[in-house]
Coordinates of all heavy atoms in Angstrom, one line a residue:
M244 N 101.6 115.2 142.9 CA 102.2 115.8 141.8 C 102.2 117.3 142.1 O 101.3 117.9 142.7 CB 101.4 115.6 140.5 CG 102.1 116.0 139.3 SD 101.2 115.6 137.7 CE 100.9 113.9 137.8
A245 N 103.3 117.9 141.7 CA 103.5 119.3 141.9 C 102.5 120.1 141.1 O 101.8 119.6 140.2 CB 104.9 119.7 141.5
A246 N 102.5 121.4 141.3 CA 101.6 122.3 140.6 C 101.9 122.4 139.1 O 101.1 122.8 138.3 CB 101.6 123.7 141.2
G247 N 103.1 122.1 138.8 CA 103.5 122.1 137.4 C 104.8 122.9 137.2 O 105.3 123.5 138.1
C248 N 105.3 122.8 136.0 CA 106.5 123.6 135.7 C 106.3 124.4 134.4 O 105.5 124.1 133.6 CB 107.8 122.7 135.6 SG 107.6 121.3 134.4
R249 N 107.0 125.5 134.3 CA 106.7 126.5 133.3 C 107.2 126.0 131.9 O 106.7 126.5 130.9 CB 107.4 127.8 133.6 CG 108.9 127.8 133.6 CD 109.4 129.1 134.0 NE 110.9 129.0 134.1 CZ 111.7 129.9 134.5 NH1 111.1 131.0 135.0 NH2 113.0 129.7 134.5
D250 N 108.1 125.0 131.8 CA 108.6 124.5 130.5 C 107.7 123.4 130.0 O 108.0 122.9 128.8 CB 110.0 124.1 130.6 CG 111.0 125.3 130.8 OD1 110.6 126.4 130.4 OD2 112.1 125.1 131.3
C251 N 106.8 122.9 130.7 CA 106.1 121.7 130.3 C 104.9 122.1 129.5 O 104.0 122.9 129.9 CB 105.6 120.9 131.6 SG 104.6 119.4 131.2
E252 N 104.7 121.5 128.3 CA 103.6 121.8 127.4 C 102.3 121.4 128.0 O 101.3 122.1 127.9 CB 103.8 121.1 126.1 CG 102.8 121.5 125.0 CD 103.1 120.7 123.7 OE1 104.3 120.6 123.4 OE2 102.2 120.4 123.1
T253 N 102.3 120.3 128.8 CA 101.1 119.8 129.4 C 100.6 120.7 130.6 O 99.5 121.0 130.7 CB 101.2 118.4 129.9 OG1 101.6 117.6 128.8 CG2 99.9 117.8 130.4
C254 N 101.6 121.1 131.4 CA 101.3 122.0 132.6 C 100.8 123.3 132.2 O 100.0 123.9 132.9 CB 102.5 122.1 133.5 SG 103.0 120.6 134.3
T255 N 101.3 123.9 131.0 CA 100.9 125.2 130.6 C 99.6 125.2 129.7 O 99.2 126.3 129.3 CB 102.0 125.9 129.9 OG1 102.4 125.1 128.8 CG2 103.2 126.1 130.8
R256 N 99.1 124.1 129.4 CA 97.9 123.9 128.6 C 96.7 124.3 129.4 O 96.6 124.2 130.6 CB 97.8 122.5 128.1 CG 96.7 122.3 127.1 CD 96.8 120.9 126.6 NE 97.9 120.9 125.6 CZ 98.3 119.9 124.8 NH1 97.6 118.7 124.9 NH2 99.2 119.9 124.0
S257 N 95.6 124.8 128.7 CA 94.4 125.2 129.4 C 93.7 123.9 130.0 O 94.0 122.8 129.6 CB 93.4 125.8 128.4 OG 92.9 124.9 127.5
W258 N 92.8 124.1 130.9 CA 92.1 123.0 131.5 C 91.3 122.1 130.5 O 91.3 120.9 130.6 CB 91.2 123.4 132.7 CG 90.0 124.2 132.2 CD1 89.9 125.5 132.1 CD2 88.7 123.6 131.9 NE1 88.7 125.8 131.6 CE2 87.9 124.7 131.5 CE3 88.2 122.4 131.9 CZ2 86.6 124.5 131.1 CZ3 86.9 122.2 131.5 CH2 86.1 123.3 131.1
L259 N 90.8 122.8 129.5 CA 90.0 122.1 128.5 C 91.0 121.3 127.6 O 90.7 120.2 127.2 CB 89.2 123.1 127.6 CG 88.3 122.5 126.6 CD1 87.2 121.7 127.3 CD2 87.6 123.6 125.8
G260 N 92.1 121.8 127.3 CA 93.1 121.1 126.5 C 93.6 119.9 127.3 O 93.8 118.8 126.7
R261 N 93.9 120.0 128.6 CA 94.3 118.9 129.4 C 93.2 117.8 129.5 O 93.5 116.6 129.4 CB 94.7 119.3 130.8 CG 96.0 120.0 130.9 CD 96.5 120.1 132.3 NE 95.6 120.8 133.2 CZ 95.5 122.1 133.4 NH1 96.3 122.9 132.8 NH2 94.6 122.5 134.3
L262 N 91.9 118.3 129.5 CA 90.8 117.3 129.6 C 90.7 116.5 128.3 O 90.7 115.2 128.3 CB 89.5 118.1 129.7 CG 88.2 117.2 129.7 CD1 88.1 116.5 131.1 CD2 87.0 118.1 129.5
F263 N 90.9 117.1 127.1 CA 90.8 116.4 125.9 C 92.1 115.5 125.7 O 92.0 114.4 125.2 CB 90.7 117.3 124.7 CG 89.4 117.9 124.5 CD1 89.2 119.3 124.4 CD2 88.2 117.1 124.5 CE1 87.9 119.8 124.2 CE2 87.0 117.6 124.4 CZ 86.8 119.0 124.2
Q264 N 93.2 116.0 126.2 CA 94.5 115.2 126.1 C 94.3 113.9 127.0 O 94.7 112.8 126.5 CB 95.7 116.0 126.5 CG 97.0 115.2 126.4 CD 98.1 116.0 126.9 OE1 98.0 117.1 127.4 NE2 99.3 115.5 126.7
N265 N 93.8 114.1 128.2 CA 93.7 113.0 129.1 C 92.7 112.0 128.5 O 92.9 110.7 128.7 CB 93.3 113.4 130.5 CG 94.4 114.2 131.2 OD1 95.6 114.0 130.9 ND2 94.0 115.0 132.2
A266 N 91.6 112.4 127.9 CA 90.6 111.5 127.3 C 91.2 110.7 126.2 O 91.0 109.5 126.1 CB 89.4 112.3 126.8
A267 N 92.0 111.4 125.3 CA 92.6 110.7 124.2 C 93.6 109.7 124.7 O 93.7 108.6 124.1 CB 93.3 111.7 123.3
V268 N 94.5 110.1 125.6 CA 95.5 109.2 126.2 C 94.8 108.0 126.9 O 95.2 106.8 126.7 CB 96.4 109.9 127.1 CG1 97.3 108.9 127.8 CG2 97.3 110.9 126.3
G269 N 93.8 108.2 127.6 CA 93.1 107.1 128.3 C 92.4 106.2 127.3 O 92.5 105.0 127.5
L270 N 91.9 106.7 126.2 CA 91.3 105.8 125.2 C 92.4 105.0 124.5 O 92.2 103.8 124.2 CB 90.6 106.7 124.1 CG 89.9 105.9 123.0 CD1 88.8 105.0 123.5 CD2 89.3 106.9 122.0
M271 N 93.5 105.6 124.3 CA 94.6 104.9 123.7 C 95.1 103.7 124.6 O 95.4 102.6 124.1 CB 95.8 105.8 123.4 CG 97.0 105.1 122.8 SD 98.4 106.1 122.5 CE 98.9 106.5 124.2
H272 N 95.2 104.0 125.9 CA 95.6 103.0 126.8 C 94.6 101.8 126.9 O 94.9 100.6 126.9 CB 95.8 103.5 128.2 CG 96.9 104.5 128.4 ND1 98.1 104.3 127.7 CD2 97.1 105.6 129.2 CE1 98.9 105.3 128.1 NE2 98.3 106.1 129.0
I273 N 93.3 102.1 126.8 CA 92.3 101.1 126.8 C 92.3 100.3 125.5 O 92.2 99.1 125.5 CB 90.9 101.7 127.0 CG1 90.7 102.3 128.4 CG2 89.8 100.7 126.6 CD1 89.5 103.1 128.6
C274 N 92.5 101.0 124.3 CA 92.5 100.3 123.0 C 93.7 99.3 122.9 O 93.6 98.3 122.2 CB 92.5 101.3 121.9 SG 91.0 102.2 121.7
T275 N 94.8 99.7 123.5 CA 96.0 98.8 123.4 C 96.1 97.9 124.6 O 97.2 97.2 124.8 CB 97.3 99.7 123.4 OG1 97.4 100.5 124.5 CG2 97.3 100.6 122.1
L276 N 95.1 97.8 125.4 CA 95.0 96.8 126.5 C 96.1 97.1 127.6 O 96.6 96.2 128.2 CB 95.1 95.4 126.1 CG 94.0 94.9 125.1 CD1 94.2 93.5 124.6 CD2 92.6 95.1 125.7
G277 N 96.5 98.4 127.7 CA 97.4 98.8 128.7 C 98.9 98.7 128.3 O 99.8 99.1 129.0
I278 N 99.1 98.2 127.1 CA 100.5 98.1 126.6 C 101.2 99.5 126.5 O 102.3 99.7 126.9 CB 100.6 97.3 125.3 CG1 100.2 95.8 125.6 CG2 102.0 97.3 124.7 CD1 100.0 95.0 124.3
S279 N 100.4 100.4 126.0 CA 101.0 101.8 125.8 C 101.3 102.4 127.2 O 102.3 103.1 127.3 CB 100.0 102.7 125.0 OG 98.8 102.8 125.7
Y280 N 100.5 102.1 128.2 CA 100.7 102.6 129.5 C 102.0 102.0 130.1 O 102.8 102.8 130.7 CB 99.5 102.3 130.4 CG 99.7 102.7 131.9 CD1 99.5 104.0 132.2 CD2 100.2 101.8 132.8 CE1 99.7 104.5 133.5 CE2 100.4 102.2 134.1 CZ 100.1 103.6 134.5 OH 100.4 104.0 135.8
L281 N 102.2 100.7 129.9 CA 103.4 100.1 130.4 C 104.7 100.7 129.7 O 105.7 100.9 130.3 CB 103.4 98.6 130.2 CG 102.3 97.9 131.0 CD1 102.2 96.4 130.7 CD2 102.6 98.1 132.5
I282 N 104.6 100.9 128.4 CA 105.7 101.5 127.7 C 106.0 102.9 128.1 O 107.1 103.3 128.4 CB 105.4 101.4 126.1 CG1 105.5 100.0 125.6 CG2 106.4 102.3 125.4 CD1 105.0 99.8 124.2
K283 N 104.9 103.7 128.3 CA 105.1 105.1 128.7 C 105.7 105.1 130.1 O 106.6 105.9 130.4 CB 103.7 105.8 128.8 CG 103.8 107.2 129.2 CD 102.5 107.9 129.3 CE 102.6 109.3 129.8 NZ 101.7 109.6 130.9
K284 N 105.2 104.3 131.1 CA 105.7 104.4 132.4 C 107.1 103.7 132.6 O 107.9 104.1 133.4 CB 104.7 103.8 133.4 CG 103.5 104.6 133.5 CD 103.8 106.0 134.2 CE 102.5 106.8 134.4 NZ 102.8 108.1 134.9
G285 N 107.3 102.7 131.8 CA 108.5 101.9 132.0 C 109.7 102.3 131.2 O 110.9 102.1 131.6
F286 N 109.5 102.9 130.0 CA 110.6 103.2 129.1 C 110.8 104.6 128.7 O 111.8 105.0 128.1 CB 110.5 102.4 127.8 CG 110.5 100.9 128.0 CD1 109.3 100.2 127.9 CD2 111.7 100.2 128.3 CE1 109.3 98.8 128.1 CE2 111.7 98.9 128.5 CZ 110.5 98.1 128.4
R287 N 110.0 105.5 129.2 CA 110.1 106.9 128.8 C 110.5 107.7 130.1 O 110.2 107.4 131.2 CB 108.7 107.5 128.3 CG 108.1 106.8 127.2 CD 108.6 107.1 125.8 NE 108.8 108.4 125.4 CZ 107.9 109.2 124.8 NH1 106.7 108.6 124.4 NH2 108.1 110.4 124.5
R288 N 111.3 108.8 129.9 CA 111.8 109.6 131.0 C 110.7 110.6 131.4 O 110.1 111.2 130.5 CB 113.1 110.3 130.6 CG 114.2 109.2 130.3 CD 115.5 109.9 130.1 NE 115.9 110.6 131.3 CZ 116.7 111.6 131.4 NH1 117.3 112.0 130.3 NH2 117.0 112.1 132.5
H289 N 110.6 110.8 132.7 CA 109.6 111.8 133.2 C 110.3 112.9 134.0 O 111.3 112.7 134.6 CB 108.6 111.0 134.1 CG 107.7 110.1 133.4 ND1 108.2 108.8 133.0 CD2 106.5 110.2 132.9 CE1 107.2 108.2 132.3 NE2 106.2 109.0 132.2
C290 N 109.6 114.0 134.1 CA 110.1 115.2 134.8 C 110.0 114.9 136.3 O 108.9 114.5 136.8 CB 109.3 116.4 134.4 SG 109.7 117.9 135.4
P291 N 111.0 115.1 137.1 CA 110.9 114.9 138.5 C 110.0 116.0 139.2 O 109.5 115.7 140.3 CB 112.4 115.0 139.0 CG 113.1 115.8 138.0 CD 112.3 115.5 136.7
Q292 N 109.8 117.1 138.6 CA 109.0 118.1 139.2 C 107.5 117.9 139.0 O 106.7 118.0 139.9 CB 109.4 119.5 138.7 CG 108.6 120.6 139.3 CD 109.1 122.0 138.8 OE1 110.0 122.1 138.0 NE2 108.5 123.0 139.3
C293 N 107.1 117.7 137.8 CA 105.6 117.6 137.5 C 105.2 116.2 137.1 O 104.0 115.9 137.1 CB 105.2 118.5 136.4 SG 105.9 118.1 134.7
G294 N 106.1 115.3 136.7 CA 105.8 113.9 136.4 C 105.4 113.7 135.0 O 105.1 112.5 134.6
H295 N 105.3 114.7 134.2 CA 105.0 114.5 132.7 C 106.2 114.1 132.0 O 107.4 114.2 132.5 CB 104.4 115.8 132.2 CG 103.1 116.2 132.8 ND1 102.9 117.4 133.4 CD2 102.0 115.5 132.9 CE1 101.7 117.5 133.9 NE2 101.1 116.3 133.6
L296 N 106.0 113.7 130.7 CA 107.1 113.2 129.9 C 108.1 114.4 129.6 O 107.7 115.5 129.3 CB 106.6 112.7 128.5 CG 105.8 111.4 128.6 CD1 105.2 111.1 127.2 CD2 106.7 110.3 129.0
L297 N 109.4 114.1 129.7 CA 110.4 115.1 129.4 C 110.4 115.5 128.0 O 110.8 116.7 127.7 CB 111.8 114.6 129.8 CG 112.2 114.6 131.3 CD1 113.5 114.0 131.5 CD2 112.2 116.0 131.8
S298 N 110.0 114.7 127.1 CA 109.9 115.1 125.7 C 108.9 116.2 125.4 O 108.9 116.8 124.4 CB 109.6 113.9 124.8 OG 108.3 113.4 125.1
R299 N 108.0 116.4 126.4 CA 107.0 117.5 126.2 C 107.5 118.8 126.8 O 106.7 119.7 126.9 CB 105.7 117.1 126.9 CG 105.1 115.7 126.5 CD 104.3 115.7 125.3 NE 103.2 116.6 125.4 CZ 102.4 116.9 124.4 NH1 102.6 116.4 123.2 NH2 101.4 117.7 124.5
H300 N 108.7 118.9 127.3 CA 109.2 120.1 127.9 C 110.0 120.9 126.9 O 110.8 120.3 126.0 CB 110.1 119.7 129.1 CG 109.4 119.3 130.3 ND1 108.6 118.1 130.3 CD2 109.2 119.8 131.5 CE1 108.1 118.0 131.5 NE2 108.4 119.0 132.2
A301 N 109.9 122.2 127.0 CA 110.7 123.1 126.0 C 112.2 123.1 126.4 O 112.5 123.0 127.5 CB 110.1 124.5 126.2
R302 N 113.0 123.1 125.3 CA 114.4 123.1 125.5 C 115.0 124.2 124.6 O 114.5 124.7 123.7 CB 115.0 121.8 125.0 CG 114.5 120.6 125.9 CD 115.0 119.3 125.4 NE 114.5 118.2 126.1 CZ 115.2 117.4 126.9 NH1 116.5 117.7 127.1 NH2 114.7 116.4 127.6
R303 N 116.3 124.6 125.0 CA 117.0 125.5 124.2 C 117.7 124.8 123.0 O 117.6 123.5 122.9 CB 118.1 126.1 125.0 CG 117.6 127.0 126.1 CD 118.8 127.7 126.8 NE 118.3 128.4 128.0 CZ 118.6 128.1 129.2 NH1 119.3 127.0 129.5 NH2 118.1 128.8 130.2
A304 N 118.3 125.5 122.1 CA 118.9 124.9 121.0 C 120.1 123.9 121.4 O 120.3 123.0 120.6 CB 119.5 126.0 120.0
D305 N 120.7 124.2 122.5 CA 121.8 123.3 122.9 C 121.3 122.0 123.7 O 122.1 121.2 124.1 CB 122.8 124.0 123.8 CG 122.2 124.5 125.1 OD1 121.0 124.4 125.3 OD2 123.0 125.0 125.9
G306 N 120.0 121.9 123.9 CA 119.4 120.8 124.5 C 119.1 120.9 126.0 O 118.4 120.0 126.6
S307 N 119.5 122.0 126.6 CA 119.2 122.2 128.0 C 117.8 122.8 128.2 O 117.2 123.3 127.2 CB 120.2 123.2 128.6 OG 120.1 124.5 128.0
F308 N 117.2 122.6 129.3 CA 115.9 123.1 129.6 C 115.9 124.6 129.8 O 116.9 125.2 130.1 CB 115.3 122.4 130.9 CG 115.0 121.0 130.7 CD1 115.8 120.0 131.3 CD2 114.0 120.5 129.9 CE1 115.6 118.7 131.2 CE2 113.8 119.2 129.7 CZ 114.6 118.3 130.4
R309 N 114.8 125.2 129.5 CA 114.7 126.7 129.6 C 114.7 127.2 131.0 O 115.0 128.4 131.2 CB 113.4 127.2 128.9 CG 113.5 127.1 127.4 CD 112.4 127.8 126.7 NE 112.5 127.6 125.3 CZ 111.5 128.0 124.5 NH1 110.4 128.5 124.9 NH2 111.6 127.8 123.2
D310 N 114.4 126.4 132.0 CA 114.4 126.9 133.4 C 115.7 127.6 133.7 O 116.7 127.2 133.9 CB 114.2 125.7 134.3 CG 112.7 125.5 134.5 OD1 111.9 126.4 134.4 OD2 112.4 124.3 134.8

């Protein structure tokens, strides 16, 4: 995975924030027996640069990315 991109909310979060986010997401995947993981990886779009969800990236009013 790349170092991150400047428009990604996850990439620009502090290390402590990413730690808590990863713990919460991991717990959710365990509680749903992996179904949420399959939905996230199979049906959601991801950034080609950092691999995080595109919905977590900042956009302009016209829908384009801020990059």
Side-chain angles (χ1 to χ4, degrees):
M244 193 179 303
C248 53
R249 65 181 179 190
D250 289 339
C251 180
E252 185 178 324
T253 304
C254 290
T255 57
R256 189 172 281 187
S257 71
W258 69 271
L259 187 60
R261 284 192 309 270
L262 178 74
F263 286 130
Q264 180 182 9
N265 289 338
V268 169
L270 181 63
M271 180 183 66
H272 291 327
I273 290 170
C274 289
T275 61
L276 302 175
I278 295 171
S279 61
Y280 178 79
L281 294 175
I282 290 172
K283 180 182 178 233
K284 292 296 183 183
F286 297 105
R287 307 279 312 264
R288 295 186 66 204
H289 293 80
C290 175
Q292 183 178 358
C293 68
H295 295 122
L296 291 174
L297 278 177
S298 62
R299 307 278 301 172
H300 286 64
R302 297 176 185 250
R303 292 188 189 108
D305 65 354
S307 63
F308 293 108
R309 287 190 183 170
D310 275 333

